[in-house]
Amino acid sequence: MTMINQTVIREAAAYIQGKTGLKPEVGLILGSGLGVLADLIQDGISIPYQDIPHFPVSTVEGHDGELLLGTIEGRAVVMMKGRFHMYEGYGPEVTAFPVRVMKELGVQSLLVTNAAGGVNTSYKPGDLMVISDHINLTGRNPLIGPNDSALGVRFPDMSEGYSRRLRQTLKTIAAAKGIEVQEGVYAGMLGPSYETPAEIRMLRTLGADAVGMSTVSETIVARHAGLEVLGISCISNMAAGILDQPLSHDEVMETTDLARDKFLSLVLAVIPQM
Ligand code: HPA
């Protein structure tokens, strides 16, 4: 992976623009088990990550690697089916590189989704959580290094990482559909081992409601780039130590299946409002 600068961002975007005349306005990043949304894209084209100049390639099972462009509910969208994680060995700026490319393509708002462990003991597997805020506990930041002021400011404001307007919109849609949603704080960890029970108690003390291994770098870069962000976590399991059972990636994938219909119904309704 080359250093990320305007030249490589433009090369990736130019390649994508060479495949379709579509000008996406909304970006979507689909987390583990949430790739089903990709089936609902209309007149879509798919570009494997390995074909896009400077794109990394995702290495985790259950995470696909393709960029889709098309329309959903009349909106032009660009969708990542599969994302990049720091635990794969990528730097945080690499995991968020596609967000830079989306911005270059013309995207103005970003929906980030993920599977997450429930830290708040009132949550249940299969719940959906609107992300109100995050705690970046990865110890890394995608903006480290010289700041290119053409991409954003040196010290971006994070007081509204997750758009108040979009959160409210999503909650209004959920209420109208009779779908229960939680709202809470997402703690971003480096992974790839799941947390220990002591770490989960710590996260709860710190004010986290859910925990996962993605999203925070993407949101930081999106805010740096001036994008409005909406985040949705699918609570795929209770975090370590809450139930007397081990955690497994299979459980994470199975539970996201259970939440699929609610997830799709909310996301389809919110996209036109993004
Ligand atoms: N911890 C961290 N990441 C996760 C979890 C978890 O319990 N579930 C899904 N992603």
PDB file of all heavy atoms in Angstrom, residues 32 114-118 186-187 189 193-195 200 211-214 234-240 247-249 252, ligand 1:
ATOM      1  N   SER A  32     -19.853  -7.171   9.052  1.00  0.00           N
ATOM      2  CA  SER A  32     -19.987  -8.631   8.958  1.00  0.00           C
ATOM      3  C   SER A  32     -21.438  -9.042   9.035  1.00  0.00           C
ATOM      4  O   SER A  32     -22.161  -8.634   9.934  1.00  0.00           O
ATOM      5  CB  SER A  32     -19.290  -9.399  10.089  1.00  0.00           C
ATOM      6  OG  SER A  32     -18.418  -8.647  10.801  1.00  0.00           O
ATOM      7  N   ASN A 114     -21.920  -2.143  11.545  1.00  0.00           N
ATOM      8  CA  ASN A 114     -20.997  -3.160  12.064  1.00  0.00           C
ATOM      9  C   ASN A 114     -21.755  -4.150  12.930  1.00  0.00           C
ATOM     10  O   ASN A 114     -22.891  -3.899  13.340  1.00  0.00           O
ATOM     11  CB  ASN A 114     -19.860  -2.502  12.875  1.00  0.00           C
ATOM     12  CG  ASN A 114     -20.363  -1.621  13.998  1.00  0.00           C
ATOM     13  OD1 ASN A 114     -21.166  -2.054  14.828  1.00  0.00           O
ATOM     14  ND2 ASN A 114     -19.943  -0.365  14.018  1.00  0.00           N
ATOM     15  N   ALA A 115     -21.110  -5.264  13.180  1.00  0.00           N
ATOM     16  CA  ALA A 115     -21.575  -6.199  14.197  1.00  0.00           C
ATOM     17  C   ALA A 115     -20.788  -5.851  15.455  1.00  0.00           C
ATOM     18  O   ALA A 115     -19.597  -5.560  15.381  1.00  0.00           O
ATOM     19  CB  ALA A 115     -21.283  -7.630  13.764  1.00  0.00           C
ATOM     20  N   ALA A 116     -21.461  -5.833  16.605  1.00  0.00           N
ATOM     21  CA  ALA A 116     -20.780  -5.421  17.833  1.00  0.00           C
ATOM     22  C   ALA A 116     -21.259  -6.263  18.998  1.00  0.00           C
ATOM     23  O   ALA A 116     -22.367  -6.797  18.985  1.00  0.00           O
ATOM     24  CB  ALA A 116     -21.064  -3.944  18.103  1.00  0.00           C
ATOM     25  N   GLY A 117     -20.416  -6.360  20.006  1.00  0.00           N
ATOM     26  CA  GLY A 117     -20.798  -7.058  21.228  1.00  0.00           C
ATOM     27  C   GLY A 117     -21.574  -6.102  22.127  1.00  0.00           C
ATOM     28  O   GLY A 117     -21.240  -4.918  22.226  1.00  0.00           O
ATOM     29  N   GLY A 118     -22.599  -6.603  22.789  1.00  0.00           N
ATOM     30  CA  GLY A 118     -23.375  -5.777  23.718  1.00  0.00           C
ATOM     31  C   GLY A 118     -22.649  -5.673  25.049  1.00  0.00           C
ATOM     32  O   GLY A 118     -22.353  -6.685  25.693  1.00  0.00           O
ATOM     33  N   TYR A 186     -20.278   3.394  21.072  1.00  0.00           N
ATOM     34  CA  TYR A 186     -19.516   2.273  20.499  1.00  0.00           C
ATOM     35  C   TYR A 186     -18.054   2.432  20.903  1.00  0.00           C
ATOM     36  O   TYR A 186     -17.443   3.471  20.649  1.00  0.00           O
ATOM     37  CB  TYR A 186     -19.654   2.330  18.976  1.00  0.00           C
ATOM     38  CG  TYR A 186     -18.857   1.309  18.195  1.00  0.00           C
ATOM     39  CD1 TYR A 186     -19.394   0.063  17.887  1.00  0.00           C
ATOM     40  CD2 TYR A 186     -17.568   1.598  17.730  1.00  0.00           C
ATOM     41  CE1 TYR A 186     -18.677  -0.868  17.143  1.00  0.00           C
ATOM     42  CE2 TYR A 186     -16.846   0.666  16.987  1.00  0.00           C
ATOM     43  CZ  TYR A 186     -17.403  -0.564  16.703  1.00  0.00           C
ATOM     44  OH  TYR A 186     -16.695  -1.487  15.963  1.00  0.00           O
ATOM     45  N   ALA A 187     -17.505   1.403  21.526  1.00  0.00           N
ATOM     46  CA  ALA A 187     -16.079   1.408  21.865  1.00  0.00           C
ATOM     47  C   ALA A 187     -15.325   0.664  20.768  1.00  0.00           C
ATOM     48  O   ALA A 187     -15.639  -0.486  20.459  1.00  0.00           O
ATOM     49  CB  ALA A 187     -15.841   0.732  23.210  1.00  0.00           C
ATOM     50  N   MET A 189     -12.101  -1.170  19.480  1.00  0.00           N
ATOM     51  CA  MET A 189     -10.907  -1.871  19.963  1.00  0.00           C
ATOM     52  C   MET A 189     -10.092  -2.340  18.763  1.00  0.00           C
ATOM     53  O   MET A 189     -10.616  -2.493  17.665  1.00  0.00           O
ATOM     54  CB  MET A 189     -11.305  -3.090  20.802  1.00  0.00           C
ATOM     55  CG  MET A 189     -12.240  -2.798  21.961  1.00  0.00           C
ATOM     56  SD  MET A 189     -11.468  -1.850  23.285  1.00  0.00           S
ATOM     57  CE  MET A 189     -10.588  -3.176  24.134  1.00  0.00           C
ATOM     58  N   SER A 193      -8.322 -10.508  19.025  1.00  0.00           N
ATOM     59  CA  SER A 193      -8.927 -11.323  20.081  1.00  0.00           C
ATOM     60  C   SER A 193     -10.124 -10.551  20.621  1.00  0.00           C
ATOM     61  O   SER A 193     -10.106  -9.314  20.677  1.00  0.00           O
ATOM     62  CB  SER A 193      -7.914 -11.599  21.200  1.00  0.00           C
ATOM     63  OG  SER A 193      -7.229 -10.431  21.566  1.00  0.00           O
ATOM     64  N   TYR A 194     -11.168 -11.289  20.986  1.00  0.00           N
ATOM     65  CA  TYR A 194     -12.281 -10.650  21.675  1.00  0.00           C
ATOM     66  C   TYR A 194     -11.769 -10.168  23.029  1.00  0.00           C
ATOM     67  O   TYR A 194     -10.714 -10.588  23.497  1.00  0.00           O
ATOM     68  CB  TYR A 194     -13.436 -11.642  21.845  1.00  0.00           C
ATOM     69  CG  TYR A 194     -14.179 -11.948  20.538  1.00  0.00           C
ATOM     70  CD1 TYR A 194     -14.210 -13.239  20.020  1.00  0.00           C
ATOM     71  CD2 TYR A 194     -14.858 -10.948  19.850  1.00  0.00           C
ATOM     72  CE1 TYR A 194     -14.898 -13.521  18.835  1.00  0.00           C
ATOM     73  CE2 TYR A 194     -15.541 -11.222  18.667  1.00  0.00           C
ATOM     74  CZ  TYR A 194     -15.557 -12.501  18.165  1.00  0.00           C
ATOM     75  OH  TYR A 194     -16.240 -12.766  17.001  1.00  0.00           O
ATOM     76  N   GLU A 195     -12.561  -9.320  23.677  1.00  0.00           N
ATOM     77  CA  GLU A 195     -12.147  -8.736  24.941  1.00  0.00           C
ATOM     78  C   GLU A 195     -12.223  -9.769  26.062  1.00  0.00           C
ATOM     79  O   GLU A 195     -12.945 -10.751  25.976  1.00  0.00           O
ATOM     80  CB  GLU A 195     -13.077  -7.552  25.288  1.00  0.00           C
ATOM     81  CG  GLU A 195     -13.075  -6.454  24.245  1.00  0.00           C
ATOM     82  CD  GLU A 195     -13.771  -6.850  22.929  1.00  0.00           C
ATOM     83  OE1 GLU A 195     -14.752  -7.627  22.985  1.00  0.00           O
ATOM     84  OE2 GLU A 195     -13.321  -6.394  21.859  1.00  0.00           O
ATOM     85  N   ILE A 200     -14.316  -5.856  29.439  1.00  0.00           N
ATOM     86  CA  ILE A 200     -15.721  -5.464  29.232  1.00  0.00           C
ATOM     87  C   ILE A 200     -16.247  -4.678  30.437  1.00  0.00           C
ATOM     88  O   ILE A 200     -16.939  -3.673  30.272  1.00  0.00           O
ATOM     89  CB  ILE A 200     -16.598  -6.699  28.911  1.00  0.00           C
ATOM     90  CG1 ILE A 200     -16.171  -7.323  27.564  1.00  0.00           C
ATOM     91  CG2 ILE A 200     -18.092  -6.345  28.911  1.00  0.00           C
ATOM     92  CD1 ILE A 200     -16.215  -6.374  26.360  1.00  0.00           C
ATOM     93  N   VAL A 211     -19.248  -2.882  21.742  1.00  0.00           N
ATOM     94  CA  VAL A 211     -17.814  -2.946  21.445  1.00  0.00           C
ATOM     95  C   VAL A 211     -17.585  -3.672  20.127  1.00  0.00           C
ATOM     96  O   VAL A 211     -18.260  -4.643  19.817  1.00  0.00           O
ATOM     97  CB  VAL A 211     -17.043  -3.640  22.604  1.00  0.00           C
ATOM     98  CG1 VAL A 211     -17.552  -5.062  22.871  1.00  0.00           C
ATOM     99  CG2 VAL A 211     -15.526  -3.677  22.328  1.00  0.00           C
ATOM    100  N   GLY A 212     -16.623  -3.150  19.368  1.00  0.00           N
ATOM    101  CA  GLY A 212     -16.294  -3.792  18.099  1.00  0.00           C
ATOM    102  C   GLY A 212     -14.890  -3.427  17.653  1.00  0.00           C
ATOM    103  O   GLY A 212     -14.157  -2.740  18.360  1.00  0.00           O
ATOM    104  N   MET A 213     -14.530  -3.921  16.469  1.00  0.00           N
ATOM    105  CA  MET A 213     -13.152  -3.785  15.985  1.00  0.00           C
ATOM    106  C   MET A 213     -13.071  -3.004  14.672  1.00  0.00           C
ATOM    107  O   MET A 213     -12.149  -3.196  13.893  1.00  0.00           O
ATOM    108  CB  MET A 213     -12.535  -5.171  15.779  1.00  0.00           C
ATOM    109  CG  MET A 213     -12.587  -6.063  17.000  1.00  0.00           C
ATOM    110  SD  MET A 213     -12.042  -7.731  16.583  1.00  0.00           S
ATOM    111  CE  MET A 213     -12.576  -8.634  18.057  1.00  0.00           C
ATOM    112  N   SER A 214     -14.049  -2.146  14.434  1.00  0.00           N
ATOM    113  CA  SER A 214     -14.031  -1.389  13.171  1.00  0.00           C
ATOM    114  C   SER A 214     -14.536   0.024  13.415  1.00  0.00           C
ATOM    115  O   SER A 214     -14.567   0.491  14.556  1.00  0.00           O
ATOM    116  CB  SER A 214     -14.912  -2.101  12.141  1.00  0.00           C
ATOM    117  OG  SER A 214     -16.267  -2.058  12.539  1.00  0.00           O
ATOM    118  N   CYS A 234     -25.201  -3.764  14.836  1.00  0.00           N
ATOM    119  CA  CYS A 234     -26.073  -4.902  15.100  1.00  0.00           C
ATOM    120  C   CYS A 234     -25.444  -5.640  16.275  1.00  0.00           C
ATOM    121  O   CYS A 234     -24.291  -6.083  16.188  1.00  0.00           O
ATOM    122  CB  CYS A 234     -26.144  -5.793  13.864  1.00  0.00           C
ATOM    123  SG  CYS A 234     -27.004  -7.321  14.214  1.00  0.00           S
ATOM    124  N   ILE A 235     -26.172  -5.740  17.374  1.00  0.00           N
ATOM    125  CA  ILE A 235     -25.627  -6.424  18.552  1.00  0.00           C
ATOM    126  C   ILE A 235     -25.692  -7.922  18.270  1.00  0.00           C
ATOM    127  O   ILE A 235     -26.767  -8.527  18.271  1.00  0.00           O
ATOM    128  CB  ILE A 235     -26.426  -6.062  19.835  1.00  0.00           C
ATOM    129  CG1 ILE A 235     -26.457  -4.533  20.044  1.00  0.00           C
ATOM    130  CG2 ILE A 235     -25.853  -6.790  21.053  1.00  0.00           C
ATOM    131  CD1 ILE A 235     -25.124  -3.853  20.187  1.00  0.00           C
ATOM    132  N   SER A 236     -24.538  -8.496  17.987  1.00  0.00           N
ATOM    133  CA  SER A 236     -24.507  -9.872  17.507  1.00  0.00           C
ATOM    134  C   SER A 236     -24.325 -10.869  18.641  1.00  0.00           C
ATOM    135  O   SER A 236     -24.586 -12.060  18.464  1.00  0.00           O
ATOM    136  CB  SER A 236     -23.378 -10.032  16.492  1.00  0.00           C
ATOM    137  OG  SER A 236     -22.168  -9.611  17.065  1.00  0.00           O
ATOM    138  N   ASN A 237     -23.872 -10.381  19.775  1.00  0.00           N
ATOM    139  CA  ASN A 237     -23.608 -11.267  20.920  1.00  0.00           C
ATOM    140  C   ASN A 237     -23.495 -10.385  22.150  1.00  0.00           C
ATOM    141  O   ASN A 237     -23.247  -9.192  22.021  1.00  0.00           O
ATOM    142  CB  ASN A 237     -22.271 -12.016  20.709  1.00  0.00           C
ATOM    143  CG  ASN A 237     -21.116 -11.053  20.504  1.00  0.00           C
ATOM    144  OD1 ASN A 237     -20.925 -10.512  19.405  1.00  0.00           O
ATOM    145  ND2 ASN A 237     -20.365 -10.787  21.549  1.00  0.00           N
ATOM    146  N   MET A 238     -23.667 -10.975  23.330  1.00  0.00           N
ATOM    147  CA  MET A 238     -23.339 -10.228  24.537  1.00  0.00           C
ATOM    148  C   MET A 238     -21.822 -10.322  24.696  1.00  0.00           C
ATOM    149  O   MET A 238     -21.212 -11.366  24.437  1.00  0.00           O
ATOM    150  CB  MET A 238     -24.072 -10.799  25.745  1.00  0.00           C
ATOM    151  CG  MET A 238     -25.588 -10.601  25.676  1.00  0.00           C
ATOM    152  SD  MET A 238     -26.113  -8.941  25.153  1.00  0.00           S
ATOM    153  CE  MET A 238     -25.680  -7.967  26.605  1.00  0.00           C
ATOM    154  N   ALA A 239     -21.206  -9.196  25.102  1.00  0.00           N
ATOM    155  CA  ALA A 239     -19.750  -9.143  25.215  1.00  0.00           C
ATOM    156  C   ALA A 239     -19.255 -10.124  26.286  1.00  0.00           C
ATOM    157  O   ALA A 239     -20.045 -10.632  27.099  1.00  0.00           O
ATOM    158  CB  ALA A 239     -19.305  -7.721  25.517  1.00  0.00           C
ATOM    159  N   ALA A 240     -17.967 -10.368  26.282  1.00  0.00           N
ATOM    160  CA  ALA A 240     -17.366 -11.412  27.122  1.00  0.00           C
ATOM    161  C   ALA A 240     -17.720 -11.240  28.604  1.00  0.00           C
ATOM    162  O   ALA A 240     -17.741 -10.132  29.129  1.00  0.00           O
ATOM    163  CB  ALA A 240     -15.853 -11.385  26.947  1.00  0.00           C
ATOM    164  N   LEU A 247     -17.278 -16.699  23.141  1.00  0.00           N
ATOM    165  CA  LEU A 247     -17.710 -15.947  21.954  1.00  0.00           C
ATOM    166  C   LEU A 247     -17.145 -16.597  20.711  1.00  0.00           C
ATOM    167  O   LEU A 247     -16.028 -17.092  20.740  1.00  0.00           O
ATOM    168  CB  LEU A 247     -17.138 -14.521  22.008  1.00  0.00           C
ATOM    169  CG  LEU A 247     -17.960 -13.445  22.693  1.00  0.00           C
ATOM    170  CD1 LEU A 247     -18.381 -13.853  24.086  1.00  0.00           C
ATOM    171  CD2 LEU A 247     -17.159 -12.148  22.755  1.00  0.00           C
ATOM    172  N   SER A 248     -17.924 -16.568  19.623  1.00  0.00           N
ATOM    173  CA  SER A 248     -17.362 -17.070  18.374  1.00  0.00           C
ATOM    174  C   SER A 248     -17.842 -16.243  17.198  1.00  0.00           C
ATOM    175  O   SER A 248     -18.931 -15.669  17.222  1.00  0.00           O
ATOM    176  CB  SER A 248     -17.741 -18.537  18.170  1.00  0.00           C
ATOM    177  OG  SER A 248     -19.073 -18.618  17.711  1.00  0.00           O
ATOM    178  N   HIS A 249     -17.008 -16.209  16.172  1.00  0.00           N
ATOM    179  CA  HIS A 249     -17.353 -15.461  14.953  1.00  0.00           C
ATOM    180  C   HIS A 249     -18.604 -16.060  14.299  1.00  0.00           C
ATOM    181  O   HIS A 249     -19.405 -15.338  13.710  1.00  0.00           O
ATOM    182  CB  HIS A 249     -16.149 -15.487  13.999  1.00  0.00           C
ATOM    183  CG  HIS A 249     -16.322 -14.631  12.779  1.00  0.00           C
ATOM    184  ND1 HIS A 249     -16.654 -13.283  12.835  1.00  0.00           N
ATOM    185  CD2 HIS A 249     -16.197 -14.909  11.452  1.00  0.00           C
ATOM    186  CE1 HIS A 249     -16.732 -12.789  11.599  1.00  0.00           C
ATOM    187  NE2 HIS A 249     -16.465 -13.757  10.743  1.00  0.00           N
ATOM    188  N   VAL A 252     -21.579 -14.498  15.828  1.00  0.00           N
ATOM    189  CA  VAL A 252     -21.718 -13.130  15.301  1.00  0.00           C
ATOM    190  C   VAL A 252     -22.452 -13.152  13.958  1.00  0.00           C
ATOM    191  O   VAL A 252     -23.402 -12.399  13.729  1.00  0.00           O
ATOM    192  CB  VAL A 252     -20.313 -12.475  15.170  1.00  0.00           C
ATOM    193  CG1 VAL A 252     -20.387 -11.176  14.382  1.00  0.00           C
ATOM    194  CG2 VAL A 252     -19.702 -12.231  16.545  1.00  0.00           C
TER     195      VAL A 252
HETATM  196  N1  HPA B   1     -16.206  -7.778  20.695  1.00  0.00           N
HETATM  197  C1  HPA B   1     -15.539  -7.146  19.712  1.00  0.00           C
HETATM  198  N2  HPA B   1     -15.954  -7.122  18.466  1.00  0.00           N
HETATM  199  C2  HPA B   1     -17.116  -7.746  18.160  1.00  0.00           C
HETATM  200  C3  HPA B   1     -17.850  -8.420  19.137  1.00  0.00           C
HETATM  201  C4  HPA B   1     -17.372  -8.440  20.484  1.00  0.00           C
HETATM  202  O1  HPA B   1     -17.971  -9.012  21.407  1.00  0.00           O
HETATM  203  N3  HPA B   1     -18.943  -8.949  18.513  1.00  0.00           N
HETATM  204  C5  HPA B   1     -18.855  -8.578  17.192  1.00  0.00           C
HETATM  205  N4  HPA B   1     -17.736  -7.846  16.992  1.00  0.00           N
END
